[in-house]
Every structure is written in structure tokens, then in C-alpha cells.
Amino acid sequence: MIKTSWQDFAITGITVLFAVMLLPQLRDVLSRGAVLNLFTALFTSILGYSMALVFATLGLWISMVGQGLVATVWMLLACFSLRNVRNRMFPQESLASVALDFFTVWVQGVAFTVSGGVKEIFSRISRE
């Protein structure tokens, strides 16, 4: 028998509310062609699944299901947003190639940001 606690029910209630609050956004992505930031939705989903795993290791089984529900909604938002971008901007491309292009641009942006930060650190060191 699964033993539950009030914390398990509280976490589940909150996570299910998060999932319910995302449903209008999911409807917009599905029916109106709205687009969310792919990496925000994707990484939020991955982190959500990670939290579900943490809840499982703590024995918070109901919370694990609730968090898995939220993570799944975020994953659907990411997938359908990517599909909407592909359909609108790159209709001849495969979904995988559009995702690879997005990832490449993201890596370049991260590299640019990190290199700027490293340059700033070295310029401060050289001024001292």
C-alpha cells in the first residue's frame, strides 16, 4: 500500500493547478499556431521530469504523477511550437532539421555570451 502524506497531496494539488493553467496556452499552440520559446518549454519539461523522478525517490508517488503531467504539457508545448514554426517558416524542411537549426543558433548564442563574460573577466584582471 502506498503511504501518502499531506505534503504529497499539497504538491500534487499545486502541480495539477500548474498543468491546468497551461491548458489555454496549449490550446493556442494547437489551434491558433502560437509559438513558445522552444528551449524554455523543452528545458522546463526536462526539469519537470527530473522533479518527478526526485518525488519518486522520496516516495511521493502522487506528486510524481502530478509533476509528470506538468512536464508532459510543457513537452507538448515545445513539440507543437516547433511544428508551428516549421509549418509557417520552413514548410519544406523536416521537423528534425528545424530543431537542429534552433539548437545550433542556441549553442552559438550561449558561446557568444560565455565568450563575452570571459573577455570581461580578463579585461578586469588586466586593469588591476
Side-chain angles (χ1 to χ4, degrees):
M1 171 142 177
I2 296 176
K3 183 181 175 188
T4 59
S5 63
W6 71 268
Q7 292 94 342
D8 198 7
F9 289 115
I11 292 169
T12 303
I14 292 166
T15 56
V16 167
L17 285 175
F18 281 143
V20 168
M21 285 186 265
L22 285 171
L23 291 179
Q25 186 68 47
L26 184 60
R27 187 195 67 216
D28 287 346
V29 169
L30 286 170
S31 63
R32 297 182 185 163
V35 175
L36 292 178
N37 183 298
L38 175 67
F39 294 104
T40 300
L42 183 64
F43 289 127
T44 302
S45 176
I46 292 168
L47 291 173
Y49 285 124
S50 300
M51 283 300 297
L53 181 64
V54 169
F55 289 149
T57 62
L58 291 171
L60 300 172
W61 300 107
I62 300 171
S63 296
M64 179 199 69
V65 171
Q67 187 62 44
L69 177 68
V70 173
T72 300
V73 173
W74 276 109
M75 184 63 73
L76 290 171
L77 286 167
C79 292
F80 288 118
S81 289
L82 183 63
R83 180 202 64 181
N84 291 342
V85 168
R86 193 257 336 249
N87 290 348
R88 192 175 304 147
M89 298 174 69
F90 310 103
Q92 291 82 17
E93 299 291 326
S94 70
L95 205 54
S97 69
V98 174
L100 182 61
D101 286 346
F102 268 72
F103 181 71
T104 303
V105 170
W106 180 76
V107 167
Q108 290 171 344
V110 168
F112 179 77
T113 303
V114 169
S115 67
V118 170
K119 180 181 174 185
E120 179 67 26
I121 289 171
F122 281 120
S123 68
R124 285 185 184 196
I125 291 172
S126 66
R127 281 187 268 171
E128 293 176 355

